[in-house]
Amino acid sequence: MRTAARRARSTWKPYAVGAAVAAALVATTACEGADSDEGGPVPPSASASQSQSQATPPAPDDDASEAPTDGDDAVGTDLCAMKDLTFAASKYGERGEPARHIMVVATNESDKECEIQNAPEIMLGDAQGPAPVMEGTEADEPFTLAPGEKAYAGVLATGGNRDTYEVTFMTLTLGSPGGEAEAEEPVELEMPTEGSFQADDGQRVTGWQPTEGLAMRPVTQS
């Protein structure tokens, strides 16, 4: 009996030692795989840190956001002044008809571009004030006149009212668009007809337009 028990204990001891050695080898291999640069598993903490770094955008550069853009240095086009333009008036309509419709042309005689806007202030003879502007005839935005280019405005001398008066002279000024500068001195336009023509309180003027048709259509349809 004692001999059999002794043999059993002797047999178990080598197996136990062998199992312990095998477990140690497995643990060593796993640690080496985790530290390997050849595709080993990434520890959870490192993976989470990497994801957070990729999801967070870099902080804006204060100096870059305050840097001037190309548009900051852009210079706008000046408004046309009386000295930049020459003006002419002509009768618009069939020969032999009264001068009821008049076309006014402004030509940029300067060597630079300028912008024209709103409507001319036109005084027909001894009227108490400039001819009122026809509603809806002014351009939505100022437009540019290159050297030599023209802007057009139409004048309705009689609107069908009974009380008329004789016009022997007419004046024009650009006025003071938007109150940006003092109004300039008016110029006297050459009469569109020989002698004189009739006007009444129904007189109207259109806003400046880039084409003859846009300026005169509202006048001729009134």
Side-chain angles (χ1 to χ4, degrees), residues 190-216:
E190 185 176 346
M191 291 289 288
T193 60
E194 294 181 2
S196 63
F197 62 89
Q198 297 295 307
D200 62 23
D201 291 341
Q203 61 188 258
R204 294 289 185 273
V205 63
T206 70
W208 290 115
Q209 294 290 346
T211 68
E212 175 183 327
L214 289 174
M216 299 306 298

Side-chain angles (χ1 to χ4, degrees), residues 68-76:
T69 62
D70 293 342
D72 292 337
D73 297 329
V75 178

Side-chain angles (χ1 to χ4, degrees), residues 16-37:
V17 173
V21 172
L25 289 174
V26 172
T28 303
T29 302
C31 291
E32 290 177 354
D35 296 335
S36 174
D37 293 332

Side-chain angles (χ1 to χ4, degrees), residues 98-102 122-132 155-170 191-193 196-205:
R100 184 167 181 256
H101 307 137
I102 298 167
I122 294 179
M123 186 88 73
L124 298 182
D126 294 324
Q128 295 182 352
V155 179
L156 178 66
T158 58
N161 295 354
R162 291 182 180 179
D163 296 332
T164 61
Y165 65 96
E166 189 174 12
V167 176
T168 58
F169 69 95
M170 51 190 298
M191 291 289 288
T193 60
S196 63
F197 62 89
Q198 297 295 307
D200 62 23
D201 291 341
Q203 61 188 258
R204 294 289 185 273
V205 63

Side-chain angles (χ1 to χ4, degrees), residues 7-161:
R7 288 179 179 175
R9 286 195 295 270
S10 297
T11 302
W12 173 82
K13 186 174 182 180
Y15 280 102
V17 173
V21 172
L25 289 174
V26 172
T28 303
T29 302
C31 291
E32 290 177 354
D35 296 335
S36 174
D37 293 332
E38 300 179 356
V42 179
S45 59
S47 178
S49 176
Q50 183 178 5
S51 298
Q52 182 177 4
S53 175
Q54 293 177 352
T56 304
D61 187 348
D62 291 338
D63 294 337
S65 63
E66 295 178 359
T69 62
D70 293 342
D72 292 337
D73 297 329
V75 178
T77 304
D78 293 334
L79 289 176
C80 297
M82 295 288 287
K83 62 181 179 60
D84 300 322
L85 307 172
T86 58
F87 305 95
S90 60
K91 174 188 168 185
Y92 198 85
E94 298 293 335
R95 288 185 178 182
E97 292 183 354
R100 184 167 181 256
H101 307 137
I102 298 167
M103 182 172 69
V104 175
V105 181
T107 305
N108 182 2
E109 297 289 357
S110 72
D111 58 359
K112 63 179 182 179
E113 292 184 339
C114 65
E115 286 188 341
I116 194 163
Q117 63 178 0
N118 299 341
E121 290 187 1
I122 294 179
M123 186 88 73
L124 298 182
D126 294 324
Q128 295 182 352
V133 179
M134 296 181 72
E135 186 175 355
T137 63
E138 294 180 82
D140 294 334
E141 298 289 341
F143 57 94
T144 301
L145 293 182
E149 287 188 336
K150 304 177 185 295
Y152 303 85
V155 179
L156 178 66
T158 58
N161 295 354

